[in-house]
Amino acid sequence: MTKSKEAKRLDTSTEEKIIQAASKVFTQKGYVGTRTRDIAEEAGINLALLNYYFRSKEKLFQLIMAEKLQLLFSVILPIVNNDDLTLEEKMEALVENYIVLLVDNPDLPLFVLGEIKANPEGFKDRLQVRKLLQHSSFIRQLRERRPDLEPVQFIVSLLGMTIFPFIAKQILFADDKIFKKQMEERKILIAKWAKMMLET
Amino acid sequence: MTKSKEAKRLDTSTEEKIIQAASKVFTQKGYVGTRTRDIAEEAGINLALLNYYFRSKEKLFQLIMAEKLQLLFSVILPIVNNDDLTLEEKMEALVENYIVLLVDNPDLPLFVLGEIKANPEGFKDRLQVRKLLQHSSFIRQLRERRPDLEPVQFIVSLLGMTIFPFIAKQILFADDKIFKKQMEERKILIAKWAKMMLET
DNA sequence: AAATATTTTAATCAAATGATTAAAAACAAT
DNA sequence: ATTGTTTTTAATCATTTGATTAAAATATTT
C-alpha cells in the first residue's frame, strides 16, 4: 500500500541515504577530494545507483552545497534585518546561533570557503552577502553607533572570532571535549568583547 | 665555466621554475585539485621533466608545504618568546607581521588549513603549535595580565581577527584594491581592539 | 674534436575514476 | 498469477592523471 511505501521513504529511503552520505563525504573531503565510490560506500549502496538517482557527481554536489549555504544564510538573515533587536541583541544572537550551528557542523566553514575559492564563478550569483548586508538594519545601526568605523571591519572581526576557531580547530585545540566546552564559554566572551569594541 | 652555470641557475633554473609554479598551483588549488600537468604548464616545461626533478607529485608537495609552514612559523616564533617585548608589543608585532605576510600571500591560510584537515596525520609531528605556545612568554604574560581568562580564547580571537579576512576575502570584499587598503587600516584597529579585550 | 654527463622531450603505461549499460531482483497494479 | 514498473547490481567504458622509458638535444669535460 501507500502506507508501507511512505513508511519506507520516511525511514531511510535510498535517496535520503545517498544525500546523507554525500553531505558527510563532501564536507569532509571537498569536491575534488571526493570520489563517487566513497559516497556510494558510505551510503551502503552501489556506485551505479548513485548515478541513477542523481545523474552525476556535479548534480549531487550542487544539491549538497545549496543545502549548506541555506544553513549558513538561515542564521544571518532572520537576525540582521530584525528591527525589533538592538545592535547588541543582534550581535549576541549572531554569535550564539552560529556557534550552536557550527558545534554540530564543524566542517561547514572550511568546506564552503574552500569550494568558493576553488570555483568563484559558480558562486557569483548565489553569494550577494555584501549587498545583503549593505542594506541591513544591522549595518545601519553600526553606522549610527560608530560613524567613524567602517562596518565591514567590525563584522569581519565578529565573524572571525566566531568562525575561525572551527577552521583552526585541528591546530589549536587538544581534544573535542575541551573544544566544545570552550566554544560554549566563547558565546559570552565574544559578545562581551564585541561590545567593548564598539565603545569609543 | 662555472660562471655561466651559476648565472643560469640564479637566473631561472628549471628547478626554480618548477618550484615557483608548484607553489602557485598548489596554494591555489590544493593537493588533490592540482594536476602535475598544470604545474608543468605553469612552469613552461614538460611533464616528464617535473618527475625527473622531483620524483613525484607528493615529494614536490612536501617541499612546498614545508616552505609555507616555515613562512607562517617564522612570523610567530621570533615574537612569542621575545622577552624584550611587552604583551602589547607582542600583539602589535604579531598582527603587523601577519598582515604584511598575508597581503602578499592571501591564499596561504586556506591552503595550509585545508591540507591539514585533508590529512591530519601528515602534520601530527610537524605541528606542535599548542606545545610551542604553551611555554611561551606570550602565554605567561597573558596569564599574569588576566588570570581569569583562558589564554587560548584570547589568542583565537587575535588570530581570527587577523587571518579570517583573508579566508573570507572572496565573500566579504568587493575588489582587491579596497581589500588591501582596509587590511592596512586593520593593523591599528586589531591592536586597539585586542588591548581593550584585555582590560577588565 | 671526442667522450661523457646532464637536461629535455615524445610516446606510452597503468591505475583511478566518473559514467553507462544491460540484465536481474523486488515491488506494485491488474 | 501476470504484467508492468521501480530499484539494484555486476560488468564495462572512456577519460583523466601520475609516472616511466627510451631516445634526442644540450652542455661539460678531457
Side-chain angles (χ1 to χ4, degrees):
Chain A
M1 305 293 169
T2 49
K3 180 78 181 300
S4 67
K5 190 171 181 178
E6 288 296 313
K8 188 189 157 199
R9 286 223 165 277
L10 290 175
D11 193 337
T12 39
S13 73
T14 302
E15 190 174 334
E16 191 55 33
K17 275 195 300 183
I18 296 176
I19 290 178
Q20 290 301 325
S23 176
K24 180 173 176 182
V25 181
F26 274 136
T27 50
Q28 240 168 36
K29 313 207 173 187
Y31 183 77
V32 286
T34 294
R35 293 172 304 176
T36 50
R37 281 165 172 81
D38 294 337
I39 298 176
E41 191 185 0
E42 177 75 30
I45 52 115
N46 191 287
L47 171 62
L49 191 54
L50 186 147
N51 281 291
Y52 170 77
Y53 271 98
F54 295 96
R55 290 283 299 170
S56 73
K57 179 185 180 183
E58 171 73 16
K59 286 247 173 61
L60 182 52
F61 174 78
Q62 291 303 339
L63 188 78
I64 302 298
M65 178 54 77
E67 220 173 53
K68 300 307 177 188
L69 288 178
Q70 164 61 27
L71 205 56
L72 290 173
F73 279 121
S74 69
V75 169
I76 301 180
L77 292 182
I79 296 173
V80 296
N81 269 316
N82 185 340
D83 289 324
D84 293 340
L85 299 177
T86 66
L87 180 55
E88 277 78 8
E89 288 168 339
K90 281 194 178 68
M91 291 175 354
E92 282 168 15
L94 273 176
V95 172
E96 161 80 22
N97 290 353
Y98 253 120
I99 288 184
V100 166
L101 173 69
L102 296 183
V103 162
D104 283 332
N105 304 271
D107 288 338
L108 213 48
L110 205 48
F111 169 62
V112 171
L113 292 166
E115 298 303 330
I116 291 172
K117 182 191 166 199
N119 178 26
E121 300 306 317
F123 292 87
K124 271 275 163 60
D125 40 340
R126 274 191 285 179
L127 281 178
Q128 331 86 322
V129 184
R130 247 170 297 128
K131 300 214 166 159
L132 194 145
L133 281 173
Q134 205 84 45
H135 308 99
S136 67
S137 76
F138 183 49
I139 291 276
R140 186 164 36 71
Q141 286 170 315
L142 270 174
R143 284 194 209 281
E144 283 169 15
R145 179 72 59 89
R146 286 289 304 271
D148 58 313
L149 177 63
E150 184 61 40
V152 74
Q153 295 278 20
F154 177 78
I155 289 174
V156 168
S157 290
L158 191 67
L159 292 179
M161 290 193 290
T162 307
I163 298 174
F164 185 76
F166 294 90
I167 295 176
K169 189 180 168 184
Q170 202 81 247
I171 297 179
L172 293 170
F173 295 89
D175 65 294
D176 220 64
K177 196 96 177 177
I178 294 177
F179 177 75
K180 281 186 182 176
K181 204 192 76 187
Q182 296 198 325
M183 286 311 108
E184 277 307 313
E185 299 171 3
R186 223 175 147 69
K187 292 177 185 173
I188 305 138
L189 271 177
I190 296 176
K192 194 174 69 182
W193 284 336
K195 284 174 201 165
M196 295 175 91
M197 287 163 58
L198 287 181
E199 290 166 12
T200 39
Chain B
M1 305 291 170
T2 49
K3 180 76 182 300
S4 67
K5 191 170 181 177
E6 288 295 314
K8 188 190 158 199
R9 285 223 166 277
L10 292 175
D11 193 337
T12 39
S13 73
T14 302
E15 191 174 335
E16 190 54 33
K17 274 194 300 181
I18 295 176
I19 291 178
Q20 290 301 326
S23 175
K24 180 173 176 183
V25 181
F26 273 136
T27 51
Q28 241 168 36
K29 311 206 173 188
Y31 183 76
V32 286
T34 295
R35 294 172 304 174
T36 50
R37 282 165 171 81
D38 293 338
I39 299 176
E41 190 186 359
E42 177 75 32
I45 53 115
N46 191 289
L47 170 62
L49 191 54
L50 186 147
N51 282 291
Y52 169 77
Y53 270 99
F54 295 94
R55 290 282 300 169
S56 72
K57 178 186 180 182
E58 172 72 17
K59 287 247 173 61
L60 183 51
F61 174 77
Q62 292 301 340
L63 188 79
I64 301 298
M65 178 54 76
E67 220 174 54
K68 300 306 177 188
L69 287 179
Q70 163 61 27
L71 205 55
L72 290 173
F73 280 120
S74 68
V75 169
I76 300 181
L77 292 181
I79 295 173
V80 295
N81 269 315
N82 186 339
D83 290 324
D84 293 341
L85 298 177
T86 65
L87 180 55
E88 277 77 9
E89 286 168 340
K90 281 193 178 68
M91 291 173 356
E92 281 167 16
L94 273 176
V95 172
E96 162 79 24
N97 289 354
Y98 253 120
I99 288 183
V100 166
L101 173 68
L102 295 184
V103 162
D104 283 332
N105 304 271
D107 288 339
L108 214 47
L110 206 46
F111 168 62
V112 172
L113 292 167
E115 298 302 330
I116 291 173
K117 182 191 165 199
N119 178 25
E121 301 306 317
F123 291 87
K124 272 274 162 58
D125 41 339
R126 276 191 283 178
L127 280 178
Q128 331 86 322
V129 184
R130 249 171 295 130
K131 301 213 166 159
L132 193 145
L133 281 172
Q134 205 85 45
H135 309 99
S136 67
S137 76
F138 183 48
I139 291 276
R140 185 165 37 71
Q141 286 171 314
L142 269 175
R143 284 195 208 281
E144 283 168 16
R145 178 72 58 89
R146 286 289 304 272
D148 59 313
L149 178 64
E150 184 61 42
V152 74
Q153 295 278 21
F154 177 77
I155 289 174
V156 168
S157 290
L158 191 68
L159 291 179
M161 288 193 292
T162 308
I163 298 174
F164 185 75
F166 294 90
I167 295 176
K169 189 180 169 186
Q170 202 80 247
I171 297 179
L172 294 170
F173 294 90
D175 65 295
D176 221 64
K177 195 95 176 179
I178 294 176
F179 176 75
K180 282 187 181 173
K181 204 193 75 190
Q182 297 199 323
M183 287 310 107
E184 277 307 313
E185 298 171 1
R186 224 175 145 70
K187 292 176 185 172
I188 305 137
L189 270 176
I190 296 177
K192 194 175 68 182
W193 284 335
K195 284 174 201 164
M196 295 175 91
M197 287 163 58
L198 287 181
E199 290 166 11
T200 40

